[in-house]
mmCIF file of all heavy atoms in Angstrom:
data_model
loop_
_atom_site.group_PDB
_atom_site.id
_atom_site.type_symbol
_atom_site.label_atom_id
_atom_site.label_comp_id
_atom_site.label_asym_id
_atom_site.label_seq_id
_atom_site.Cartn_x
_atom_site.Cartn_y
_atom_site.Cartn_z
ATOM 1 N N GLU A 8 177.469 121.665 124.688
ATOM 2 C CA GLU A 8 177.005 122.333 123.459
ATOM 3 C C GLU A 8 178.174 123.290 123.018
ATOM 4 O O GLU A 8 178.347 123.305 121.711
ATOM 5 C CB GLU A 8 175.811 123.301 123.813
ATOM 6 C CG GLU A 8 174.569 122.600 124.058
ATOM 7 C CD GLU A 8 174.456 121.800 125.441
ATOM 8 O OE1 GLU A 8 175.224 122.180 126.413
ATOM 9 O OE2 GLU A 8 173.743 120.766 125.605
ATOM 10 N N GLU A 9 178.918 123.918 123.829
ATOM 11 C CA GLU A 9 179.962 124.804 123.447
ATOM 12 C C GLU A 9 181.060 123.890 122.827
ATOM 13 O O GLU A 9 181.746 124.258 121.768
ATOM 14 C CB GLU A 9 180.487 125.597 124.615
ATOM 15 C CG GLU A 9 179.548 126.726 124.962
ATOM 16 C CD GLU A 9 179.900 127.445 126.243
ATOM 17 O OE1 GLU A 9 180.505 126.796 127.154
ATOM 18 O OE2 GLU A 9 179.558 128.623 126.424
ATOM 19 N N ILE A 10 181.350 122.751 123.401
ATOM 20 C CA ILE A 10 182.387 121.858 122.852
ATOM 21 C C ILE A 10 181.952 121.444 121.466
ATOM 22 O O ILE A 10 182.906 121.288 120.607
ATOM 23 C CB ILE A 10 182.636 120.639 123.796
ATOM 24 C CG1 ILE A 10 183.345 121.167 125.134
ATOM 25 C CG2 ILE A 10 183.388 119.572 123.171
ATOM 26 C CD1 ILE A 10 183.443 120.180 126.231
ATOM 27 N N GLU A 11 180.746 121.218 121.277
ATOM 28 C CA GLU A 11 180.292 120.821 119.899
ATOM 29 C C GLU A 11 180.563 121.895 118.873
ATOM 30 O O GLU A 11 180.921 121.642 117.709
ATOM 31 C CB GLU A 11 178.873 120.317 119.839
ATOM 32 C CG GLU A 11 178.691 118.896 120.498
ATOM 33 C CD GLU A 11 179.835 117.855 120.230
ATOM 34 O OE1 GLU A 11 180.065 117.621 119.103
ATOM 35 O OE2 GLU A 11 180.428 117.389 121.232
ATOM 36 N N LEU A 12 180.370 123.160 119.282
ATOM 37 C CA LEU A 12 180.643 124.319 118.359
ATOM 38 C C LEU A 12 182.020 124.383 118.077
ATOM 39 O O LEU A 12 182.559 124.678 116.958
ATOM 40 C CB LEU A 12 180.035 125.618 118.929
ATOM 41 C CG LEU A 12 178.482 125.602 119.003
ATOM 42 C CD1 LEU A 12 177.985 126.808 119.642
ATOM 43 C CD2 LEU A 12 177.817 125.503 117.593
ATOM 44 N N LEU A 13 182.840 124.141 119.120
ATOM 45 C CA LEU A 13 184.293 124.085 118.916
ATOM 46 C C LEU A 13 184.809 123.053 118.022
ATOM 47 O O LEU A 13 185.601 123.109 117.200
ATOM 48 C CB LEU A 13 185.043 124.053 120.306
ATOM 49 C CG LEU A 13 185.087 125.430 121.105
ATOM 50 C CD1 LEU A 13 185.323 125.151 122.578
ATOM 51 C CD2 LEU A 13 186.240 126.230 120.536
ATOM 52 N N ARG A 14 184.135 121.870 118.156
ATOM 53 C CA ARG A 14 184.391 120.715 117.292
ATOM 54 C C ARG A 14 184.020 121.042 115.806
ATOM 55 O O ARG A 14 184.912 120.763 114.955
ATOM 56 C CB ARG A 14 183.631 119.494 117.624
ATOM 57 C CG ARG A 14 184.105 118.187 116.974
ATOM 58 C CD ARG A 14 183.150 117.023 117.244
ATOM 59 N NE ARG A 14 182.755 116.863 118.585
ATOM 60 C CZ ARG A 14 183.574 116.125 119.509
ATOM 61 N NH1 ARG A 14 184.782 115.707 119.176
ATOM 62 N NH2 ARG A 14 183.073 116.080 120.684
ATOM 63 N N GLU A 15 182.922 121.774 115.552
ATOM 64 C CA GLU A 15 182.614 122.154 114.221
ATOM 65 C C GLU A 15 183.642 122.982 113.615
ATOM 66 O O GLU A 15 184.060 122.869 112.470
ATOM 67 C CB GLU A 15 181.228 122.960 114.231
ATOM 68 C CG GLU A 15 179.982 122.104 114.270
ATOM 69 C CD GLU A 15 178.708 122.950 113.943
ATOM 70 O OE1 GLU A 15 178.559 123.806 113.157
ATOM 71 O OE2 GLU A 15 177.791 122.776 114.896
ATOM 72 N N ASN A 16 184.163 123.945 114.361
ATOM 73 C CA ASN A 16 185.173 124.823 113.943
ATOM 74 C C ASN A 16 186.469 123.964 113.687
ATOM 75 O O ASN A 16 187.094 124.191 112.598
ATOM 76 C CB ASN A 16 185.546 125.881 114.892
ATOM 77 C CG ASN A 16 184.640 127.126 114.669
ATOM 78 O OD1 ASN A 16 184.879 127.946 113.804
ATOM 79 N ND2 ASN A 16 183.581 127.288 115.488
ATOM 80 N N HIS A 17 186.833 123.124 114.505
ATOM 81 C CA HIS A 17 188.051 122.353 114.326
ATOM 82 C C HIS A 17 187.915 121.356 113.235
ATOM 83 O O HIS A 17 188.957 121.054 112.481
ATOM 84 C CB HIS A 17 188.570 121.561 115.632
ATOM 85 C CG HIS A 17 189.123 122.551 116.645
ATOM 86 N ND1 HIS A 17 188.358 123.360 117.513
ATOM 87 C CD2 HIS A 17 190.462 122.913 116.798
ATOM 88 C CE1 HIS A 17 189.191 124.080 118.234
ATOM 89 N NE2 HIS A 17 190.450 123.823 117.788
ATOM 90 N N LEU A 18 186.749 120.884 112.936
ATOM 91 C CA LEU A 18 186.584 120.029 111.793
ATOM 92 C C LEU A 18 186.622 120.839 110.384
ATOM 93 O O LEU A 18 187.194 120.371 109.469
ATOM 94 C CB LEU A 18 185.175 119.290 111.798
ATOM 95 C CG LEU A 18 185.299 118.118 112.963
ATOM 96 C CD1 LEU A 18 183.877 117.501 112.998
ATOM 97 C CD2 LEU A 18 186.273 117.067 112.575
ATOM 98 N N LEU A 19 186.112 122.015 110.513
ATOM 99 C CA LEU A 19 186.221 122.921 109.310
ATOM 100 C C LEU A 19 187.684 123.279 109.064
ATOM 101 O O LEU A 19 188.168 123.261 107.989
ATOM 102 C CB LEU A 19 185.447 124.194 109.483
ATOM 103 C CG LEU A 19 185.469 125.176 108.268
ATOM 104 C CD1 LEU A 19 185.135 124.462 106.946
ATOM 105 C CD2 LEU A 19 184.588 126.413 108.501
ATOM 106 N N VAL A 20 188.462 123.469 110.078
ATOM 107 C CA VAL A 20 189.955 123.757 109.977
ATOM 108 C C VAL A 20 190.560 122.479 109.376
ATOM 109 O O VAL A 20 191.397 122.548 108.458
ATOM 110 C CB VAL A 20 190.602 124.075 111.313
ATOM 111 C CG1 VAL A 20 192.085 124.142 111.157
ATOM 112 C CG2 VAL A 20 190.130 125.438 111.814
ATOM 113 N N SER A 21 190.190 121.334 109.758
ATOM 114 C CA SER A 21 190.698 120.010 109.258
ATOM 115 C C SER A 21 190.351 119.931 107.755
ATOM 116 O O SER A 21 191.274 119.579 106.962
ATOM 117 C CB SER A 21 190.157 118.852 109.892
ATOM 118 O OG SER A 21 190.227 118.942 111.401
ATOM 119 N N GLU A 22 189.181 120.255 107.390
ATOM 120 C CA GLU A 22 188.773 120.158 105.978
ATOM 121 C C GLU A 22 189.583 121.236 105.134
ATOM 122 O O GLU A 22 189.899 120.969 104.032
ATOM 123 C CB GLU A 22 187.273 120.475 105.886
ATOM 124 C CG GLU A 22 186.259 119.481 106.522
ATOM 125 C CD GLU A 22 186.134 118.189 105.731
ATOM 126 O OE1 GLU A 22 186.800 117.999 104.619
ATOM 127 O OE2 GLU A 22 185.426 117.307 106.164
ATOM 128 N N THR A 23 189.737 122.437 105.736
ATOM 129 C CA THR A 23 190.512 123.429 105.120
ATOM 130 C C THR A 23 191.974 122.979 104.846
ATOM 131 O O THR A 23 192.495 123.160 103.723
ATOM 132 C CB THR A 23 190.456 124.780 105.869
ATOM 133 O OG1 THR A 23 189.072 125.086 106.156
ATOM 134 C CG2 THR A 23 191.071 125.931 105.004
ATOM 135 N N LEU A 24 192.556 122.435 105.920
ATOM 136 C CA LEU A 24 193.915 121.945 105.747
ATOM 137 C C LEU A 24 194.003 120.811 104.634
ATOM 138 O O LEU A 24 194.995 120.747 103.957
ATOM 139 C CB LEU A 24 194.516 121.483 107.092
ATOM 140 C CG LEU A 24 194.800 122.594 108.020
ATOM 141 C CD1 LEU A 24 195.073 122.002 109.505
ATOM 142 C CD2 LEU A 24 195.878 123.538 107.605
ATOM 143 N N ALA A 25 193.000 119.983 104.614
ATOM 144 C CA ALA A 25 192.926 118.866 103.593
ATOM 145 C C ALA A 25 192.917 119.581 102.139
ATOM 146 O O ALA A 25 193.574 119.133 101.189
ATOM 147 C CB ALA A 25 191.694 118.020 103.760
ATOM 148 N N GLU A 26 192.080 120.578 102.018
ATOM 149 C CA GLU A 26 191.966 121.318 100.680
ATOM 150 C C GLU A 26 193.344 121.958 100.397
ATOM 151 O O GLU A 26 193.818 121.941 99.270
ATOM 152 C CB GLU A 26 190.859 122.371 100.805
ATOM 153 C CG GLU A 26 190.557 123.152 99.514
ATOM 154 C CD GLU A 26 189.998 122.204 98.415
ATOM 155 O OE1 GLU A 26 189.714 120.938 98.710
ATOM 156 O OE2 GLU A 26 189.987 122.616 97.205
ATOM 157 N N VAL A 27 193.987 122.550 101.370
ATOM 158 C CA VAL A 27 195.327 123.096 101.206
ATOM 159 C C VAL A 27 196.243 122.051 100.815
ATOM 160 O O VAL A 27 197.067 122.154 99.796
ATOM 161 C CB VAL A 27 195.791 123.901 102.403
ATOM 162 C CG1 VAL A 27 197.228 124.253 102.311
ATOM 163 C CG2 VAL A 27 194.941 125.165 102.650
ATOM 164 N N GLY A 28 196.201 120.954 101.423
ATOM 165 C CA GLY A 28 197.109 119.771 101.160
ATOM 166 C C GLY A 28 196.948 119.282 99.711
ATOM 167 O O GLY A 28 198.044 118.897 99.119
ATOM 168 N N ARG A 29 195.801 119.307 99.162
ATOM 169 C CA ARG A 29 195.497 118.824 97.880
ATOM 170 C C ARG A 29 196.168 119.897 96.819
ATOM 171 O O ARG A 29 196.457 119.417 95.676
ATOM 172 C CB ARG A 29 193.990 118.912 97.440
ATOM 173 C CG ARG A 29 193.283 117.692 98.055
ATOM 174 C CD ARG A 29 191.828 117.754 97.586
ATOM 175 N NE ARG A 29 191.011 116.977 98.579
ATOM 176 C CZ ARG A 29 190.235 117.394 99.512
ATOM 177 N NH1 ARG A 29 190.127 118.703 99.641
ATOM 178 N NH2 ARG A 29 189.582 116.604 100.382
ATOM 179 N N HIS A 30 196.479 121.032 97.260
ATOM 180 C CA HIS A 30 197.189 122.076 96.357
ATOM 181 C C HIS A 30 198.665 122.115 96.619
ATOM 182 O O HIS A 30 199.280 122.870 95.937
ATOM 183 C CB HIS A 30 196.564 123.440 96.591
ATOM 184 C CG HIS A 30 195.137 123.525 96.034
ATOM 185 N ND1 HIS A 30 194.066 123.020 96.643
ATOM 186 C CD2 HIS A 30 194.668 124.030 94.806
ATOM 187 C CE1 HIS A 30 192.958 123.224 96.001
ATOM 188 N NE2 HIS A 30 193.332 123.856 94.827
ATOM 189 N N ILE A 31 199.236 121.405 97.576
ATOM 190 C CA ILE A 31 200.676 121.489 97.835
ATOM 191 C C ILE A 31 201.403 120.548 96.853
ATOM 192 O O ILE A 31 201.170 119.294 96.752
ATOM 193 C CB ILE A 31 200.919 121.033 99.264
ATOM 194 C CG1 ILE A 31 200.375 122.181 100.214
ATOM 195 C CG2 ILE A 31 202.407 120.748 99.432
ATOM 196 C CD1 ILE A 31 200.570 121.817 101.692
ATOM 197 N N ARG A 32 202.238 121.169 96.075
ATOM 198 C CA ARG A 32 203.086 120.501 95.071
ATOM 199 C C ARG A 32 204.209 121.523 94.680
ATOM 200 O O ARG A 32 204.042 122.714 94.860
ATOM 201 C CB ARG A 32 202.217 120.120 93.894
ATOM 202 C CG ARG A 32 201.521 121.197 93.215
ATOM 203 C CD ARG A 32 200.661 120.902 92.010
ATOM 204 N NE ARG A 32 199.724 121.983 91.850
ATOM 205 C CZ ARG A 32 199.867 123.146 91.409
ATOM 206 N NH1 ARG A 32 201.138 123.597 91.114
ATOM 207 N NH2 ARG A 32 198.870 124.109 91.297
ATOM 208 N N PRO A 33 205.267 120.949 94.085
ATOM 209 C CA PRO A 33 206.315 121.811 93.619
ATOM 210 C C PRO A 33 205.770 122.837 92.721
ATOM 211 O O PRO A 33 204.986 122.550 91.853
ATOM 212 C CB PRO A 33 207.325 120.901 92.958
ATOM 213 C CG PRO A 33 207.100 119.538 93.494
ATOM 214 C CD PRO A 33 205.630 119.616 93.803
ATOM 215 N N GLY A 34 206.144 124.156 92.895
ATOM 216 C CA GLY A 34 205.751 125.207 91.996
ATOM 217 C C GLY A 34 204.621 126.129 92.535
ATOM 218 O O GLY A 34 204.402 127.246 91.930
ATOM 219 N N VAL A 35 203.918 125.578 93.517
ATOM 220 C CA VAL A 35 202.795 126.433 93.980
ATOM 221 C C VAL A 35 203.417 127.484 94.966
ATOM 222 O O VAL A 35 204.407 127.176 95.673
ATOM 223 C CB VAL A 35 201.718 125.531 94.772
ATOM 224 C CG1 VAL A 35 202.222 125.039 96.070
ATOM 225 C CG2 VAL A 35 200.495 126.342 94.865
ATOM 226 N N THR A 36 202.876 128.606 95.105
ATOM 227 C CA THR A 36 203.297 129.672 95.984
ATOM 228 C C THR A 36 202.499 129.609 97.252
ATOM 229 O O THR A 36 201.362 129.158 97.258
ATOM 230 C CB THR A 36 203.146 131.106 95.464
ATOM 231 O OG1 THR A 36 201.841 131.437 95.387
ATOM 232 C CG2 THR A 36 203.885 131.300 94.043
ATOM 233 N N THR A 37 203.064 130.048 98.312
ATOM 234 C CA THR A 37 202.376 130.027 99.647
ATOM 235 C C THR A 37 201.190 130.970 99.614
ATOM 236 O O THR A 37 200.181 130.728 100.381
ATOM 237 C CB THR A 37 203.359 130.376 100.812
ATOM 238 O OG1 THR A 37 203.910 131.698 100.661
ATOM 239 C CG2 THR A 37 204.435 129.325 100.956
ATOM 240 N N LYS A 38 201.243 132.040 98.774
ATOM 241 C CA LYS A 38 200.108 132.964 98.647
ATOM 242 C C LYS A 38 198.923 132.246 97.972
ATOM 243 O O LYS A 38 197.762 132.424 98.407
ATOM 244 C CB LYS A 38 200.558 134.133 97.757
ATOM 245 C CG LYS A 38 199.555 135.168 97.523
ATOM 246 C CD LYS A 38 199.475 136.085 98.707
ATOM 247 C CE LYS A 38 198.295 137.127 98.516
ATOM 248 N NZ LYS A 38 198.092 137.841 99.672
ATOM 249 N N GLU A 39 199.154 131.325 97.048
ATOM 250 C CA GLU A 39 198.041 130.604 96.400
ATOM 251 C C GLU A 39 197.294 129.664 97.388
ATOM 252 O O GLU A 39 196.212 129.608 97.421
ATOM 253 C CB GLU A 39 198.691 129.707 95.223
ATOM 254 C CG GLU A 39 198.939 130.491 93.919
ATOM 255 C CD GLU A 39 199.630 129.591 92.925
ATOM 256 O OE1 GLU A 39 199.050 128.644 92.508
ATOM 257 O OE2 GLU A 39 200.844 129.864 92.644
ATOM 258 N N LEU A 40 198.148 129.136 98.311
ATOM 259 C CA LEU A 40 197.582 128.268 99.390
ATOM 260 C C LEU A 40 196.769 129.096 100.350
ATOM 261 O O LEU A 40 195.623 128.662 100.779
ATOM 262 C CB LEU A 40 198.736 127.656 100.256
ATOM 263 C CG LEU A 40 199.698 126.648 99.380
ATOM 264 C CD1 LEU A 40 200.731 126.105 100.301
ATOM 265 C CD2 LEU A 40 198.885 125.571 98.738
ATOM 266 N N ASP A 41 197.154 130.311 100.581
ATOM 267 C CA ASP A 41 196.253 131.189 101.407
ATOM 268 C C ASP A 41 194.957 131.520 100.713
ATOM 269 O O ASP A 41 193.863 131.598 101.437
ATOM 270 C CB ASP A 41 197.140 132.489 101.660
ATOM 271 C CG ASP A 41 196.400 133.370 102.775
ATOM 272 O OD1 ASP A 41 196.376 132.917 103.901
ATOM 273 O OD2 ASP A 41 195.892 134.414 102.370
ATOM 274 N N ARG A 42 195.026 131.774 99.438
ATOM 275 C CA ARG A 42 193.783 132.059 98.637
ATOM 276 C C ARG A 42 192.805 130.810 98.801
ATOM 277 O O ARG A 42 191.616 130.996 98.956
ATOM 278 C CB ARG A 42 194.061 132.441 97.290
ATOM 279 C CG ARG A 42 194.403 133.864 97.079
ATOM 280 C CD ARG A 42 194.357 134.189 95.583
ATOM 281 N NE ARG A 42 195.424 133.731 94.779
ATOM 282 C CZ ARG A 42 196.590 134.385 94.602
ATOM 283 N NH1 ARG A 42 196.828 135.561 94.992
ATOM 284 N NH2 ARG A 42 197.585 133.799 93.964
#
Side-chain angles (χ1 to χ4, degrees):
E8 290 71 22
E9 290 171 330
I10 289 171
E11 290 319 306
L12 295 174
L13 281 157
R14 191 190 313 279
E15 277 187 51
N16 273 281
H17 284 85
L18 288 176
L19 179 56
V20 172
S21 309
E22 298 282 2
T23 307
L24 289 171
E26 185 64 12
V27 169
R29 285 183 200 103
H30 287 79
I31 289 179
R32 55 183 158 70
V35 76
T36 68
T37 60
K38 182 80 185 173
E39 284 172 66
L40 300 179
D41 190 67
R42 273 194 289 268

